[in-house]
Amino acid sequence: MDHQLLLIEDDERIRQVVERGLDGRGFAVASAPSAQLAIEALRGFSFDLVLLDLGLPDADGFALLRAIRAARPRLPVIVLTARDDMRSKLEGLNGGADDYVTKPFSIAELAARIHTRLRWCEQDGALLEAGQVTLDLATHRATLAGRSVVVSAREASLLAAFLRRPGELLSRDELLRLVWEIEFDPGSNVVDVYVAALRRKLGPDLIETVRGRGYRLRPRAMAAVAQ
């Protein structure tokens, strides 16, 4: 069965190119040229992934992204936009986008990125555990020493990276590749932002900062592993 995608894009030419390009690659694409029609589609149908243009005629794309993320926290969203400045990229990723693709882009690369995001979702039936830390990838519920919260899709991906390599020191660059699969310049702080979000939700004992080198699960959080 084809994966169901929602393309939110007001440019008719781009809609046609994306629809034709993804057809036959395992995707069925429905299109919405405005935020209002996109919201109606999301309310009425089930989609596996959203492709979102930021330059919409009736709403701010970042605001729509935040609304989608609030309503459907596990629905993958890939931003498609001509805005290639670092500020916009960070705002998109901090707002909950799973990936950020700038125009012009190749359909082959876009399809590969979509497959990657969907593959992550298909792996989300696992329960990851390291010491006192657990993460249910199906529900995005994380627990540390009895404290349980629901985390966002991006926060879950970041926490999963630590849990899959317990005790290992992971650099910012490595986390960007593992979680975001996008290369950034050294000025990007998106990893720091999401680490801070996980600490706020699960407490300061979750992740340790190793100055100048990166992050790892704190020994205190890993204590149960050594017992």
Side-chain angles (χ1 to χ4, degrees), residues 31-201:
S31 294
S34 68
Q36 181 60 44
L37 290 175
I39 292 170
E40 292 175 7
L42 287 166
R43 287 173 176 168
F45 302 94
S46 177
F47 295 99
D48 299 305
L49 183 142
V50 170
L51 301 171
L52 172 64
D53 177 35
L54 295 177
L56 299 172
D58 59 339
D60 174 69
F62 292 119
L64 179 58
L65 170 61
R66 291 190 294 271
I68 294 172
R69 184 54 65 230
R72 301 281 300 279
R74 298 187 63 230
L75 178 64
V77 179
I78 297 179
V79 167
L80 302 179
T81 180
R83 303 181 192 180
D84 60 359
D85 61 287
M86 184 56 62
R87 181 176 180 179
S88 294
K89 289 180 181 179
L90 292 178
E91 185 173 356
L93 293 171
N94 289 338
D98 294 279
D99 206 343
Y100 193 102
V101 178
T102 55
K103 302 172 183 178
F105 53 84
S106 76
I107 292 297
E109 178 185 359
L110 178 60
R113 288 176 181 265
I114 294 170
H115 277 301
T116 295
R117 287 300 150 197
L118 293 174
R119 187 166 61 249
W120 276 64
C121 292
E122 290 166 358
Q123 295 171 351
D124 277 3
L127 179 68
L128 300 178
E129 183 174 4
Q132 302 180 72
V133 188
T134 62
L135 173 64
D136 186 333
L137 288 168
T139 62
H140 287 184
R141 181 166 291 278
T143 303
L144 171 59
R147 181 179 182 180
S148 180
V149 298
V150 174
V151 298
S152 70
R154 182 68 72 181
E155 291 162 354
S157 295
L158 179 59
L159 183 55
F162 288 111
L163 293 176
R164 287 179 174 127
R165 296 168 63 175
E168 291 188 37
L169 178 65
L170 300 175
S171 70
R172 286 177 176 82
D173 288 345
E174 192 166 10
L175 288 168
L176 285 169
R177 289 192 296 270
L178 287 171
V179 180
W180 283 266
E181 299 183 1
I182 305 175
E183 298 292 340
F184 280 90
D185 67 18
S188 171
N189 71 339
V190 67
V191 173
D192 310 78
V193 169
Y194 276 87
V195 166
L198 286 174
R199 285 172 173 159
R200 283 195 302 272
K201 290 186 175 182

